Structures are given as C-alpha cells and as structure tokens.
Amino acid sequence: MQQLNYLKETPSQTAGPYVHIGLAPGAAGFEIYRQELGWDIAGPNAEGERIRVEGLVVDGAGSPIKDVLLEAWQANARGVYAHPEGGSDVEDGFRGWGRVITNFETGEWAFDTVKPGPTPGRNVGQQAPHINLWVVARGINVGLNTRIYFEDEAEANSKDPVLNLIEWERRRATLLAKRTNRDGQVVYRFDIKIQGEDETVFFDI
Amino acid sequence: MLKQGEFYQRDREWHPPALTPDYKTSVTRSPQYSLISLQNSISEVTGPVFGHNDVDPLDNDLISNYAQPGKSPIGERVILHGKVLDENGRAVPNTLVEIWQANAGGRYRHKKDTYLAPIDPNFGGCGRTLTDENGYYFFRTVKPGAYPWRNWVNSWRPAHIHMSIFGTGFAQRLITQCYFEGDPLIDRCPIVKTIPDADAISRLISRLDMNSTIPLDTIAYKFDVVLRGRRSTLFENRLEGN
C-alpha cells in the first residue's frame, strides 16, 4: 500500500507548575525581557466598551487552581480579528490576544479588554460576541479550550451556532459571564469549573 | 466564509488523555464530560501575530540572556534547534517559540521551587524566538538537570525543556516538553507516560546532532515540532443554499 506521508502532530504535555518562568517570568520572580507579551489585549486605541473579565479556575475537589495560565483570543468591537484572515484592519495596537495568570495566594485572575463584536459564522450567519480561552496548568495534559459569552447578549446568544451545538441547554449557562458594575467599571465574572458539578463546557476545536 | 479550510482534526488518541491517574494532579484537573467538537470558524483559524518588535535578538540565548557581564552559567553548553512544520510537512515561518527549563542542577528560578539544589546566578531559564522563513529556530542554553517532584515518594523528572508554540491559528496552540536521547528516566516518568503510544513519546525525544555542534564549544540536539495541518478549500464550503 502507498504511504500518505502526513506528519503526526507533536504530542502535548502539561505546562507544569513553573510555566511562569517561560511565559510570565516577572511572576516567577525575575526580570529578563524588555517586554513580556500578552499583558495588553486591546491597546489604547481600541473602540468599544472597556470591560474587565475575572474569575477563578476550580478543580474537581472545589479548590481554586493557583498555578493556571490562561490565554484569550478575541475580535475587536467591530468583530474583526487582528490576523491576515480577519477580514479588515483593526485599530493600531489592537492585538486581540492576552495572557493572564492566577494570583498564587487566591487563584483569582483578571484581564482588561474591550467587549468583542459579533463575528462571522462558519458558513452563514453570525456568532454571538465571545472570547476564546485556552487554559493550561500543572495536571492538565492538553490545554483546555472554552469560550466566554456575555449574559447581557441574550438574543445573540440564542442564535449562536456554537452554543446551540451543546445538546444540554443547562450546560450552555456555564459559558455565560455575569455582568456587574464595580466603581463605575464594567466587570464580567467567569468562573471555570474543570470537573464535577456545573463543569464548564470545553471544546475540541 | 474561511479563506482556507479548517485544521485537520486533532488525534486525541495520540495526545495524552485528560485523566492519567499515575500523574496524580490530573485526577482533579481533568473534565468528566466529553469535549464538544467544533468545526472551525474564523475564531479558531485565526490567532495572534508576532513580529520582530516583540522579541529581541538575544532572547534565544539562555547562556547570555541572564548572565552577568563576562560570566556564563554552569553546565553542558547545548544548542537546541529544529524546524516547526505542519502535518503537511510545510514550514511554519515567523511563529513564536518560547522555552523554559531548570538549570544544570535541576533547580528552577521560580519562587515556588524549593529544591535544595542551588540557583545559578547567571542563569534565568527562559528564551523565545521567531521561526525564520523556513520554519527554523534555535536556542543556546545549558542542558537542564533531572529534578525530584512530589508524585510518588521517589519520582524524578527526566531532563527536559518546556516549549510553547503558536502556529498561525488559535487551534494550533501547543505546549509540550522536549527530552534528551538516551535518558533512562524517560521510561520511568508518569508525565511522559500520560502519552499512551510509544511512537508518540519518541517524537518528544531530541536527537544528539553531531553535525550541528560547534567543535570545542557547544554540543547540539535537534528537535522538530509538528503543528496541525490545514485542509485545502476544494471541498470545504458548499455553495450557498445547498
């Protein structure tokens, strides 16, 4: 028989407990780079509503995971990704990508950004505003993918092709960030439950 | 509509499963529900773009990037190099590769690492670089030492370098670990053995590369990385209305 000659993807391994050394050395306890990457998602020129997103990542025993690293990937307020296939230009300084780590004592994480706009669906229609999230940590062998949606986008969420793929309607709620106001700032709360009751929906993308 | 097709489906039997009880931390950090499979949209095929403004030329040189002037870290001087390819064998140019590792004695420069082996004052332990137009990358570093960890009472990680790679789309995002040819700890490590397939494990073992050493100066290991490939558009999108 002939060979197909595709290569196999390099297998994943856990990021381990010291992921900060490589991806957030300041948090590991030392300064080395001129600039660390990923701490400014939207940049100063981004249009749209400024928001903070925050939460905890909780394990199957109910304890906050304190050595998590999360990466966010999102479109701008007009629904354009900062990428050659994004469709059009984005504001100068808008990268749409962010990297956040949890507080070593509390497990809380947070990032500041702008609320993304709706993006094109796979073939037709639109996806509700969402932020793509990738979660790695000690004990996680392959990074977990999920999406943050916004509870105040009920109509768009009801038509979202990805939310509607989730057969158990009750589980869709695990992807909705809850909106609050704190000292004049819009804050969305998004807790991630890795395992057990109200487990967050994770995707194979 | 996507300009190109989606990424090839990730082979989840090739990668480690989430629940691997011999690696104890995975027991409470593995989802119980199945993953929901998504056909790629623009959210998955796009991803962050990095340029030479993000990375400094010496960021890939761990022998000098944290050393005091005129000093260098203790340890076996090593070049780690290779290509980033996709499953179609095509080079992935201009993509960000980041590494981190312990020093020659197995000690990490991290406030949570309390192993009694000492910190090396001239070694930070992280580096980053962009692949060139041919997908090629290289780092200069010292070979990391094995270190003990609290899994079983007497568990030791093989010498390894952690590696993070982006690719062109968020769905290609990958973190893995690079091991070194001939290390007898590889076969004993429950993190290595989260990967069920021996052939898959072999893809994480860098090879001694005598042709790339610098004689009387630095030894070399070769480590290629393969990211997910992408379909052609040929049969991807049905005509509207069909």
Side-chain angles (χ1 to χ4, degrees):
Chain A
M1 221 165 27
Q2 296 186 0
Q3 297 294 312
L4 284 171
N5 287 332
Y6 292 110
L7 302 178
K8 289 296 286 184
E9 190 188 7
T10 299
S12 174
Q13 292 266 265
T14 179
Y18 306 128
V19 60
H20 318 89
I21 294 175
L23 308 188
F30 65 110
E31 301 297 323
I32 185 164
Y33 294 138
R34 175 174 49 85
Q35 59 162 345
E36 291 189 10
L37 297 170
W39 305 121
D40 189 2
I41 300 177
N45 303 313
E47 304 159 11
E49 184 180 30
R50 295 274 161 180
I51 62 170
R52 166 163 290 198
V53 185
E54 63 180 29
L56 282 173
V57 183
V58 178
D59 71 14
S63 296
I65 302 183
K66 299 173 182 174
D67 50 14
V68 176
L69 182 133
L70 306 100
E71 287 186 357
W73 173 240
Q74 67 164 89
N76 71 5
R78 290 179 287 113
V80 179
Y81 283 101
H83 185 271
E85 289 183 65
S88 64
D89 290 338
V90 296
E91 303 91 323
D92 189 31
F94 181 90
R95 178 165 259 158
W97 170 75
R99 188 174 258 176
V100 278
I101 55 167
T102 45
N103 180 296
F104 291 153
E105 272 68 51
T106 65
E108 292 278 351
W109 55 267
F111 59 84
D112 295 315
T113 185
V114 295
K115 194 174 176 186
T119 47
R122 175 184 159 78
N123 286 321
V124 292
Q126 285 196 312
Q127 306 185 86
H130 66 277
I131 297 173
N132 308 285
L133 210 59
W134 186 67
V135 182
V136 296
R138 175 171 70 106
I140 296 177
N141 292 325
V142 184
L144 295 168
N145 289 98
T146 187
R147 285 182 171 202
I148 301 170
Y149 288 87
F150 303 93
E151 66 165 3
D152 54 326
E153 298 283 345
E155 194 188 337
N157 291 341
S158 72
K159 295 175 187 157
D160 181 79
V162 168
L163 287 172
N164 282 307
L165 266 183
I166 303 166
E167 185 183 338
W168 309 273
E169 284 182 41
R170 197 170 155 270
R171 297 202 68 209
R172 296 175 194 170
T174 67
L175 302 185
L176 301 183
K178 291 176 180 55
R179 183 177 175 118
T180 54
N181 226 293
R182 188 191 305 139
D183 306 328
Q185 187 182 30
V186 177
V187 178
Y188 285 95
R189 180 82 192 177
F190 189 75
D191 289 327
I192 297 170
K193 294 188 178 156
I194 298 284
Q195 183 192 85
E197 194 178 347
D198 294 325
E199 182 176 301
T200 300
V201 169
F202 297 105
F203 296 108
D204 184 11
I205 63 171
Chain B
M1 282 201 188
L2 307 181
K3 285 184 192 160
Q4 296 181 61
E6 60 207 342
F7 289 105
Y8 299 147
Q9 180 189 303
R10 187 164 258 171
D11 183 350
R12 295 270 175 184
E13 295 179 325
W14 175 258
H15 286 279
L19 176 61
T20 48
D22 283 343
Y23 173 28
K24 293 181 180 181
T25 314
S26 75
V27 172
T28 55
R29 297 187 175 191
S30 46
Q32 288 173 339
Y33 284 105
S34 302
L35 302 178
I36 306 286
S37 293
L38 288 193
Q39 290 180 288
N40 288 171
S41 71
I42 197 164
S43 300
E44 289 80 33
V45 300
T46 57
V49 177
F50 300 97
H52 290 282
N53 289 337
D54 295 319
V55 176
D56 289 328
L58 279 182
D59 284 353
N60 69 340
D61 185 1
L62 285 71
I63 284 185
S64 69
N65 72 3
Y66 201 73
Q68 293 150 36
K71 302 277 182 68
S72 60
I74 300 287
E76 186 179 343
R77 295 161 63 87
V78 163
I79 292 165
L80 180 71
H81 75 135
K83 276 190 160 186
V84 180
L85 306 165
D86 71 11
E87 290 170 293
N88 298 314
R90 295 191 191 105
V92 182
N94 206 47
T95 199
L96 181 64
V97 180
E98 297 162 290
I99 64 168
W100 67 100
Q101 62 169 94
N103 68 22
R107 174 72 185 270
Y108 282 98
R109 184 177 286 278
H110 191 293
K111 52 184 162 192
K112 296 284 182 187
D113 187 2
T114 55
Y115 182 33
L116 50 77
I119 289 281
D120 183 332
N122 295 301
F123 189 71
C126 62
R128 58 189 186 182
T129 192
L130 296 170
T131 57
D132 71 11
E133 66 275 14
N134 300 311
Y136 179 75
Y137 76 89
F138 71 94
F139 292 95
R140 190 172 72 143
T141 185
V142 295
K143 191 173 174 185
Y147 69 86
W149 58 301
R150 291 185 185 278
N151 190 63
W152 299 312
V153 166
N154 192 20
S155 293
W156 293 77
R157 294 303 323 281
H160 65 277
I161 294 178
H162 297 265
M163 187 176 284
S164 158
I165 313 101
F166 278 80
T168 58
F170 207 53
Q172 284 177 307
R173 195 76 183 82
L174 182 71
I175 282 182
T176 189
Q177 299 183 28
C178 162
Y179 304 98
F180 293 87
E181 178 182 357
D183 187 339
L185 287 169
I186 293 173
D187 290 342
R188 293 174 166 85
C189 177
I191 289 180
V192 173
K193 292 199 288 190
T194 61
I195 300 171
D197 186 311
D199 185 21
I201 290 172
S202 75
R203 312 300 173 98
L204 298 185
I205 303 173
S206 61
R207 291 291 298 268
L208 175 65
D209 180 4
M210 289 301 289
N211 290 347
S212 297
T213 61
I214 303 171
L216 309 177
D217 185 323
T218 308
I219 202 166
Y221 285 84
K222 185 162 185 289
F223 186 70
D224 288 339
V225 175
V226 179
L227 302 179
R228 295 166 70 181
R230 223 173 141 178
R231 291 179 200 280
S232 71
T233 49
L234 205 52
F235 304 108
E236 180 67 21
N237 293 309
R238 281 169 289 183
L239 293 172
E240 200 122 356
N242 285 333

